[in-house]
Amino acid sequence: MTSAAPSSTALPDRLCPRDGTRVPLADPAWCCPACAGPLDLDFHPVPGPPAGPATSLWRYADILPPAAPGISLGEGGSPLVPLTERVSAKLDFLMPTLSFKDRGAVLLVGLAQRLGAREVLADSSGNAGTSVAAYCARAGLRCTVYVPESTSPKKTEQIAAHGARVVRVPGDREATARAARAAADEPGVFYASHVFHPYFTQGTKTYAHELWDQLGGRLPEALVVPVGNGTLLLGVALAVEELHGAGLIPHRPALHAVQAEAVSPLARAWREGLDDLGGDTPAAPTLAEGIAIPRPPRARQILAAVRATGGAFHTVPESAIAPAQADLAKRGLYVEATGVACWAAVREGALGDTEAVVPLCGAGLKTGMAPSAQPGPAQKTSPSGA
C-alpha cells in the first residue's frame, strides 16, 4: 500500500508542555533543553471527512504531520468486534508487526528518513522496538534497538529479523531507557523514542479517529486503554480533543486507564489526588511486561488527560491476567498478556454496564500464553474424530 502525502509539508516545531521551550523538529535534541522533559508537537489540524480506503491509517493523512511517504506496510484499519452487548474490542494486534505500535512507528521513521538520519536508535520492552525496526527496514535505514535483558526471545527474534542490531541491557525498562539515551547523542543518530517524541503520539491518535469512523461518527461512552508510558492513551486523548474541537462529537468520552497492580504508579498517584507521580514505585514482575513502567516521563499529562474526561484508573491483579488471556483465546483472539489488561479490568466489573471499547494491542505469538492460562492436555478422539 502506498501512503498518501500529508496535506502540509512544513515541519512543525516541538514545544515543552511545562515551560513552553520551542525546539525545531530538525534539532537532534530529543527532550526539552531546559527541563529535560518530553516535548509535544505544535500541530493543530482540524479533522474533516476522511479520505481514502477505510483499511488504511493514511485515510487520515490530512490530520497527520508531514513525514517521508512510501514506507507504509499497510498499517491501520483494524477490525472492531463485539465481546459483549456493551463492550467491543479493536484488534490492533492485527497490524503488520502484530502490535498497535505500528501506528506511531510509521510516522516516526518517516520523519527520520525525511530528516536524513544516518541511523535510528530506539529503546523498548519489545513491541515498539519491533515496529521501529520493521519500518527502518522498509525505509532502508540502519537501526539499533535497546531492550531489557528479560525481553521475550520471540520479540528480540522479530527485531533482529528486520535487520536491526539488538542491545540487551541488564536491569529493568528504566535502565534500558537510560542506556539508549546515553547513545542517542551520537552525530547522525535519530532517537526514535516512542515516549519522548511527539510524532509517535500523532500516529497513535488514529486509533480513536478510526473508531469514530467505524461507529458511524460517534465514540462510545468509555475508551479503556492500557497504560505504561501512555503512548496510546495520549494519542486517544489527542484525537478526542480534535474531534470535539471540530464539533464532530458532542462530548468527550471518559478515558479509563488500566495498569497491572504489580506496577501501577499512575493509579496510585490518581488515588492520592496528585498531579504527578509521588514516591518511587519499585519494579516488580508482572505478566503485563509491556506496561510495567515505574516512572513514565509523561505521567503529568496522562493524569491530566484522564481527569479531564471524568475517567479513572484501574488496576488488575496478576490472578486476573491469565484467565482474561485464556478467555479471549477461547473467543478466537490470541493476545499477549499485556494486551489483555483492559479486558481483564472489564471482566472484573471495573466499568459496570458502561458502553466501552478495549484495544487488543499485541498478538499472543509475541510472548505465548501465560503459564496459568495454558490449556490442559488435548483430549483423545476416536478415529472418526467424533
Side-chain angles (χ1 to χ4, degrees), residues 275-359:
D275 293 331
D276 206 339
L277 298 182
D280 288 341
T281 297
T286 174
L287 293 171
E289 60 180 9
I291 54 173
I293 309 297
R295 295 199 64 82
R298 293 188 183 270
R300 180 179 291 270
Q301 290 175 285
I302 296 166
L303 288 162
V306 172
R307 286 197 176 104
T309 65
F313 282 82
H314 310 273
T315 59
V316 291
E318 290 302 294
S319 60
I321 295 175
Q325 186 184 34
D327 178 65
L328 286 173
K330 290 175 182 177
R331 297 166 183 258
L333 301 168
Y334 187 30
V335 185
E336 67 173 327
T338 296
V340 307
C342 291
W343 177 234
V346 171
R347 288 180 82 227
E348 294 280 303
L351 270 69
D353 193 41
T354 303
E355 181 204 16
V357 172
V358 299

